[in-house]
Structures are given as structure tokens and as C-alpha cells.
Amino acid sequence: MNRRSTPSKKAVLDALLSAGSALSQDRIEAVVKGEMDRVTIYRVLNRFCEDGVVHKILADDGKFYYALCHSCGEEKHEHNHNHFHFRCTDCEKIECLPGEISVKLPEGYSSQSTAGWVTGRCAMCA
């Protein structure tokens, strides 16, 4: 569905694009510095999730992060949610890792989504 572009959407999208990795809502709020309130950011992020522009990640630290997944078919904004994420324990960068997770389920079960975490030190911090 095509939605109209607004300054709020552009500011949130620019924050995600310039970060190069997943950001939490509070980090996005710090980046846009008073351009909009927390509720507007929340609504924009949820709309982006609905439209397939970003996906929401529940990290191992209990926070939600929002990522533009560059390895999931960026041209069509189609995301493959069945992949691992990496969180650097030093700089706290979170990024999507390439490759799908495949889990053998018992007969009669069907999977909708699978996610996993790898934590450690990224190439910049190692």
C-alpha cells in the first residue's frame, strides 16, 4: 500500500539509514532530537513494520530494535524474518546476519517465524 510521505516518516527513515544497524526507539528518539514525540515515532515504526520497510527485533537485552534488513531483498522491501542477529557487547551494534534458520519440526507443526542471536565483538571492536 502506498502511503504519503511525511516529515516524521522521513526523519525516522533517515535515522535508520544513517545508523547502518538496528536502533531502539529511544535511540531513534535521541537521533531525531525533538522533531517529534515518542508516540509519533512509535506509530511510524509500527507502520514501517506493517509495510515491510523495517522489521522489529526483540533482542537478548529485552529491548525492541528496528532494522532495515539489507540482506532480505531490499529492492522489494520483503524481509525474511528467519535469520540470526548479531549484537556486539562492546559498541551494542545490532545487525542481521545472512542465511535462514531452518528447524525440523514434528509432523503437523508449521513455523511462522524463527529468530536467533549471536553475541560477541564485531569486527570494529575485536
Side-chain angles (χ1 to χ4, degrees):
M1 168 185 244
N2 287 337
R3 301 186 196 269
R4 70 183 175 94
S5 182
T6 65
S8 297
K9 288 179 185 177
K10 182 173 178 355
V12 171
L13 187 59
D14 287 348
L16 289 166
L17 285 168
S18 65
S21 66
L23 295 176
S24 62
Q25 181 173 339
D26 57 333
R27 182 67 188 127
I28 293 169
E29 191 173 345
V31 171
V32 298
K33 295 182 189 105
E35 291 180 46
M36 68 200 83
D37 62 22
R38 178 177 297 235
V39 173
T40 301
I41 295 169
Y42 177 77
R43 287 181 182 148
V44 168
L45 289 170
N46 280 331
R47 184 63 48 95
F48 282 170
C49 288
E50 290 171 9
D51 293 346
V53 176
V54 301
H55 66 274
K56 187 176 2 180
I57 304 161
L58 177 59
D60 62 336
D61 63 2
K63 282 181 153 180
F64 281 108
Y65 292 82
Y66 298 85
L68 296 166
C69 189
H70 301 289
S71 62
C72 298
E74 184 180 42
E75 310 83 41
K76 297 179 184 176
H77 295 297
E78 292 174 359
H79 298 290
N80 167 12
H81 296 282
N82 299 326
H83 59 267
F84 276 95
H85 296 92
F86 183 88
R87 184 174 67 84
C88 179
T89 54
D90 288 355
C91 69
E92 298 183 9
K93 178 180 179 179
I94 293 179
E95 57 189 316
C96 298
L97 297 176
E100 281 191 50
I101 298 171
S102 177
V103 178
K104 183 168 173 44
L105 296 172
E107 190 172 326
Y109 286 70
S110 65
S111 174
Q112 292 179 340
S113 176
T114 308
W117 280 96
V118 177
T119 57
R121 297 176 75 203
C122 70
M124 297 297 295
C125 295

